[in-house]
Amino acid sequence: MQVIEVENLSFSYDGKEHILKDINLKIKEGDFVGIVGPNGAGKTTLLKILLGFLKQSGGRVKLFGKDIKAFKEWNRVGYVPQRLSVEQNFPATVEELLKVKGKKERVYEIAGYLHIDNYMDMQFTKLSGGQQQLVLLGMALSSDPELLLLDEPTAGLDLHAQMHIVQILRELSADEGRTVLMVSHDIGLVLKNVDKVLCINRELLFFGEPEEAFPIIEDMFGINRRVPDGTS
């Protein structure tokens, strides 16, 4: 089943300069997709359109076969932002945050799955960056979504925390059949873990298998492979 269908998508804030232009894309159920591109490429804008936060300037977007303009089943879509910006004295505990959208039974099931059940009584702001991201992931999963959209979920985390989160995303996709889209600046992390890579720089440059994305990524980021010339 096609979970996301994008046809000739364009977006502009001022009607003149396109942030996104002529994007055509189909993502099926169970895909784990890494979205990469330089700063200002439109990665987060694409997520916001898929979440209904922004309306496209042109083209068509479908979620689960329904035009996004008429889509109402937002409980089928989960979103994990890069950070939850709160004051240091923000009093909410992990348990309270998880219960915002989830039922009690579901909340404890998710907490155990993410290994954050020992932090339930802790204040969110007292957690490490990796622990906070797991809580945000738990909040997104509390509605049992079929589609999960994540904006830089591993940014600023240590390697252990990064791999923990990515391993969970792989399980959600491969074992549970959820569709996962993850924006990331970490090219190596993306190429090693996702099923498909989406390279974007205002236009769609590539969408396919990770091993086939290397030439596009090298060109997009100005990376040059040094080829030995046999001289000393």
Side-chain angles (χ1 to χ4, degrees), residues 44-142:
T44 296
T45 298
L46 178 60
L47 285 194
K48 288 182 177 180
I49 291 172
L50 295 176
L51 288 161
F53 296 165
L54 296 174
K55 294 182 179 180
Q56 70 267 27
S57 304
R60 190 175 186 184
V61 178
K62 289 183 179 181
L63 297 179
F64 302 99
K66 298 180 181 179
D67 192 295
I68 196 169
K69 294 178 182 178
F71 187 75
K72 303 295 183 184
E73 302 170 278
W74 289 107
N75 62 304
R76 302 176 74 181
V77 182
Y79 172 54
V80 180
Q82 182 174 342
R83 284 286 185 270
L84 180 62
S85 298
V86 295
E87 298 293 333
Q88 277 301 112
N89 60 355
F90 181 64
T93 65
V94 171
E95 182 176 7
E96 289 169 337
L97 288 173
L98 292 179
K99 285 182 176 179
V100 169
K101 292 172 62 179
K103 295 180 180 179
K104 183 177 181 180
E105 301 78 13
R106 176 70 179 161
V107 162
Y108 284 97
E109 178 186 342
I110 290 171
Y113 174 69
L114 298 177
H115 304 296
I116 56 174
D117 42 336
N118 291 331
Y119 314 136
M120 296 295 274
D121 295 330
M122 288 185 64
Q123 190 175 332
F124 177 78
T125 54
K126 303 301 182 183
L127 301 177
S128 68
Q131 291 167 343
Q132 288 185 354
Q133 284 304 98
L134 287 172
V135 173
L136 295 181
L137 179 55
M139 292 175 67
L141 292 175
S142 63

Side-chain angles (χ1 to χ4, degrees), residues 32-37 43 150-155 159 162-163 166-167 169-170 180-200 206-214 217 220-221:
F32 183 9
V33 180
I35 304 176
V36 299
K43 304 182 297 296
L150 306 98
D151 193 1
E152 299 276 10
T154 63
L159 183 59
Q162 289 180 21
M163 294 310 300
V166 170
Q167 179 60 37
L169 297 178
R170 289 174 64 180
V180 179
L181 273 70
M182 177 181 72
V183 170
S184 180
H185 72 284
D186 192 327
I187 305 302
L189 190 72
V190 167
L191 293 177
K192 290 178 182 177
N193 292 283
V194 303
D195 302 322
K196 294 181 180 177
V197 177
L198 193 162
C199 300
I200 188 172
F206 176 83
F207 178 59
E209 305 296 324
E211 57 269 19
E212 298 175 3
F214 283 104
I217 290 174
M220 187 166 55
F221 289 98

Side-chain angles (χ1 to χ4, degrees), residues 217-228:
I217 290 174
E218 289 176 340
D219 184 61
M220 187 166 55
F221 289 98
I223 301 170
N224 295 314
R225 288 183 177 178
R226 184 176 180 180
V227 180

